Amino acid sequence: MAILIVDDSPDSRNLIKRLLEKNGFADIVTAGTATEAFLLLGMNQPTQITSQVDLIIMDVIMPDIDGIEACLKLKSHESFKDIPVIVITGNDNVKTLDRAFAAGAMDFITKPVKQLELKARVYSALKIKSEIDRRKAREAELVKVLAKLEKANKELSRLSSLDGLTGIANRRHFDYIYDIEWRRAVKSGYELSVLFLDIDFFKYYNDTYGHQEGDECLKKLAAAAGRVLERPGDLIARYGGEEFVIILPETGLDGAISVARTILRAVEKCNIPHSASQVADHVTVSIGVSSGQAALNGKPQELIAQADKALYEAKHSGRNQIKVFQAG
Ligand code: GH3
Ligand code: MG
């Protein structure tokens, strides 16, 4: 561990250096003034602070900047505040010592410097410094771990809102967003639309092409329907097995029907062969649409139930089509 001796007297500097060397401390640097010490530490070049100094032994009485002032400056500097400072005083004048401790000095040695005293003080100061270093390293490690944890948590919360197969929002996220959009619609008075989409004869599709192909089909259709949605507030979610739900905030019936039609065309364009379908030679979907003003429509679940009813109608009217919920 490196020790910096700051003393304007060359004799005093050399004596302390020799005594330290005698006790096995080899890494010693010396400075004749506080300014020189600051330069050595790299204090004036914030970008290249190379301070590897673990202890500063500094004379109190020095020309220009004295030991106490220098100590104050070191302690106010983030990079040096943890380096212990032992001041050397000509006497153990209480006032001087008080000022030194107030400036942040950790300990003091009186002149003439005695070997045993110097050794004891230096050992205990270096021990404290190594504790501080260890604590700082642990803290830095902790900060890193916390940052990683925060990142992992964000990823986890992102993943927990997605459907594992299709990558679109899952039912949980839909419930969460729908609640927000419903309340927003109640406040704004804008209409809110819900679309329910279900694949036609999907059971036959699985039976014919296998479950894996069925999964691929779900992925393709989710992506195709998702691409149709353009507004930032629009959301498509996987509601259940082969059923998708779409929220269209601030959208009335005309807009919702237009979106539903575009989705039907997008599914058509996917042109996924379905030889077992009874309505086409490719995969088709049925869509139920419901729109309303949240404030007038009563309960949030009603709009969803209405879209579901409309979907049922679409199925019963022959599939591969859109049905709008009609009251009564
Ligand atoms: P309909 O036209 O009336 O909707 O008929 P359908 O066969 O599509 O409807 P039904 O409810 O009888 O069958 C739905 C099928 O969807 C059965 C089920 O195995 C399949 N399914 C649900 N979830 C998944 C999934 O994650 N992957 C695959 N491959 N199939 C799924
Ligand atoms: Mg189906």
Side-chain angles (χ1 to χ4, degrees), residues 26-46:
D27 198 359
I28 298 167
V29 261
T30 60
T33 61
T35 309
E36 198 188 326
F38 296 157
L39 263 173
L40 270 171
L41 290 166
M43 189 183 271
N44 304 322
Q45 305 138 293

Side-chain angles (χ1 to χ4, degrees), residues 198-199 242 315:
D198 186 283
I199 306 174
E242 32 97 63
K315 290 280 179 189

